[in-house]
Amino acid sequence: MIEFSKFRAVTVAGLLLGAASPATAQQKLYVAGYGGSFEQTVRKEIIPVFEKKHNVTVEYVAGNSTDTLAKLQAQKSNQQIDVAIVDDGPMYQAIQLGFCGKIAGLPKDDLYGTALFKDDKAVAIGLVGTGLMYNTKYFKEKGWAPPTSWNDLKDPKYKKMVVIPPINNTYGLHALMMFARMNGGGEKSIDPGFKVMKNDVNPNVLVYEPSPGKMTELFQSGQAVIGVWGTGRVQSFANTGFPVDFVYPKEGAVSLLVTACPIVKPDASPMASEFIKALLRPDMQVVLLKDYGYGPVVKSVKVPPELAKMAPVGQRAAELINPDWDTINEHRQAWTSRWNREVER
């Protein structure tokens, strides 16, 4: 489990604004989810239609998955959040901690099995692959071949040009897991992963960056040219016109489910389940594919070929590596402490 204490000071004062009176609170739905381009897509494509249809005001609270899980923990005696959108690893923790309620009326027959969680306490709204991204223009100018392997992150020519999220972020955790698997270990034997990260990858790392906005800034400024990220983030970045591409490493890309759940609370709003189901509408699944590179989880969605360049669809989706989240979540707090001592110092 992650360390929550450092987040207690940030229990979203802004989240509570406007919730002073019961009448105001009943008219609002608080959705906590990713920031950056994901937030922009939700605000533009989903929230206006939902608010008009259901006569409700949606307040969006941006943060990464560990931030959102920390807020749920800090507010457990008085939950303010109605819907949480987080990566699959933190979602398993949220369910285990009793934060997630059952999604009412989930259209399970039209969802792929990988999108479903026990007792309908969460659902995947999109599929992401974690792998490598690189600046295509910079590589071409240098005469470098595109990366093909996780091991490329160890190449000395990338000294101080690599960006990787820290392991309290799912992308960084996936990188650690893959180096463990590729060197005789895995989720149940993480030491080889730490050894590679510390001795071979770390000298090339410019910064372990958790912020999507800063991640793109580092590429735009030319300080970083290769990194670890997900298909969704890279697709969104490429949509801005920046010369960046995603690589499915030959050893395998890692699956990341983008998930949502309604939060258990005494005055839980039925609109929480409705908002989650709105994200599963076929037209919204195409929007998330187009804007964000998410592989659809709804069977009836027909993927336009021009939108399938990076997203994990078809065979690419089938070949993704699935992490052992039971083992990871059991050791995650200890791994994070070790990471801070040994890798990200």
Side-chain angles (χ1 to χ4, degrees):
M1 211 166 82
I2 65 171
E3 177 68 39
F4 294 109
S5 58
K6 62 182 178 181
F7 295 104
R8 289 188 183 276
V10 212
T11 51
V12 240
L15 178 63
L16 303 175
L17 291 176
S21 71
T24 303
Q26 290 171 2
Q27 297 171 11
K28 291 182 181 292
L29 187 76
Y30 290 98
V31 177
Y34 312 116
S37 49
F38 180 87
E39 177 184 1
Q40 294 170 19
T41 293
V42 172
R43 287 188 180 279
K44 178 184 174 184
E45 303 285 356
I46 296 168
I47 290 178
V49 175
F50 187 85
E51 288 180 328
K52 185 175 181 180
K53 179 179 179 180
H54 296 283
N55 192 28
V56 63
T57 299
V58 176
E59 297 288 345
Y60 192 88
V61 185
N64 64 32
S65 296
T66 48
D67 289 341
T68 298
L69 187 56
K71 290 166 189 171
L72 293 173
Q73 178 75 355
Q75 299 171 3
K76 61 183 176 182
S77 60
N78 183 29
Q79 290 290 2
Q80 302 301 314
I81 294 168
D82 294 295
V83 176
I85 301 173
V86 297
D87 295 347
D88 45 6
M91 182 58 79
Y92 283 115
Q93 290 179 293
I95 293 171
Q96 186 178 30
L97 291 166
F99 295 141
C100 293
K102 185 173 182 176
I103 302 169
L106 189 65
K108 293 194 286 188
D109 289 346
D110 198 26
L111 298 176
Y112 291 113
T114 52
L116 302 175
F117 284 69
K118 185 179 179 181
D119 299 327
D120 299 344
K121 289 194 172 179
V123 68
I125 61 170
L127 178 62
V128 170
T130 300
L132 305 177
M133 71 167 172
Y134 72 104
N135 183 324
T136 57
K137 182 172 182 286
Y138 187 94
F139 271 62
K140 185 176 181 180
E141 289 172 351
K142 285 287 187 179
W144 293 347
T148 60
S149 165
W150 288 98
N151 283 325
D152 285 328
L153 296 173
K154 304 187 310 188
D155 192 324
K157 72 184 177 188
Y158 302 133
K159 186 174 178 64
K160 298 302 178 186
M161 302 174 81
V162 173
V163 182
I164 303 174
I167 69 161
N168 64 355
N169 180 297
T170 303
Y171 300 123
L173 182 65
H174 284 170
L176 175 68
M177 181 196 90
M178 285 305 300
F179 281 120
R181 286 188 174 212
M182 290 161 54
N183 291 277
E187 291 89 317
K188 295 184 185 298
S189 177
I190 204 68
D191 286 355
F194 272 102
K195 183 178 179 181
V196 172
M197 290 297 305
K198 180 181 176 181
N199 297 333
D200 301 320
V201 177
N202 206 32
N204 289 344
V205 175
L206 173 67
V207 65
Y208 293 97
E209 181 52 62
S211 164
K214 290 181 181 176
M215 193 87 150
T216 56
E217 286 174 12
L218 290 168
F219 268 72
Q220 289 166 334
S221 67
Q223 294 173 268
V225 300
I226 184 172
V228 174
W229 230 10
T231 49
R233 293 290 185 190
V234 181
Q235 178 69 69
S236 180
F237 193 16
N239 288 348
T240 68
F242 190 82
V244 68
D245 203 358
F246 182 85
V247 171
Y248 285 80
K250 63 184 180 183
E251 300 87 1
V254 187
S255 70
L256 188 162
L257 293 175
V258 179
T259 63
C261 86
I263 301 304
V264 172
K265 52 201 295 190
D267 56 344
S269 170
M271 290 298 102
S273 289
E274 294 303 314
F275 189 86
I276 292 169
K277 288 186 289 185
L279 296 167
L280 295 172
R281 290 204 332 254
D283 60 326
M284 286 298 104
Q285 289 279 292
V286 173
V287 167
L288 292 173
L289 170 65
K290 176 176 66 72
D291 287 4
Y292 218 64
Y294 284 175
V297 298
V298 176
K299 297 175 185 176
S300 58
V301 172
K302 291 181 171 54
V303 178
E306 68 274 13
L307 299 182
K309 184 174 183 292
M310 292 186 198
V313 295
Q315 192 61 27
R316 288 201 300 263
E319 292 175 352
L320 291 176
I321 294 170
N322 298 313
D324 176 358
W325 281 112
D326 288 340
T327 298
I328 290 171
N329 286 330
E330 180 183 353
H331 298 287
R332 192 162 185 175
Q333 182 175 356
W335 291 357
T336 300
S337 297
R338 181 176 176 184
W339 177 277
N340 293 335
R341 289 194 314 270
E342 298 181 15
V343 180
E344 193 177 348
R345 294 177 297 176

